[in-house]
Amino acid sequence: MSKPFVILGAARQAGETRRAVDIAFPSELIDLTVLSEHHIGGYDYAHSNADDDFLTIVEGMLTANNIVFATPVYWYAMSAPMKIFLSG
């Protein structure tokens, strides 16, 4: 069985959202991807962001049985890094 794939979309790597992930999931039992450590461009019709890290993260997601999107909520919306990732 594969480990849950957790995508941390917080701007602060050591913030409250990371703390919540650490409480919910012991680090050795998950595959953690921190979006702030990756370069992901916004959607572009010219595909100028084809060499960013988006596909690498998606390939990791495809191997997982469970995917967790961990993001702080600002004014009823997810963080900017998570919005950029999900629009990719």
Side-chain angles (χ1 to χ4, degrees), residues 3-6 18-33:
K3 297 178 181 180
F5 192 84
V6 179
R18 174 61 185 264
R19 190 168 146 227
V21 167
D22 291 341
I23 290 169
F25 303 100
S27 61
E28 66 275 359
L29 299 180
I30 63 171
D31 288 325
L32 178 66
T33 295

Side-chain angles (χ1 to χ4, degrees), residues 31-74:
D31 288 325
L32 178 66
T33 295
V34 180
L35 291 180
S36 63
E37 295 176 354
H38 295 275
H39 170 70
I40 300 172
Y43 183 77
D44 178 4
Y45 286 108
H47 304 291
S48 61
N49 58 0
D51 293 330
D52 68 6
D53 297 328
F54 179 77
L55 286 179
T56 304
I57 296 171
V58 170
E59 288 169 357
M61 293 169 65
L62 292 174
T63 65
N65 289 331
N66 298 300
I67 301 169
V68 176
F69 296 98
T71 181
V73 176
Y74 304 106

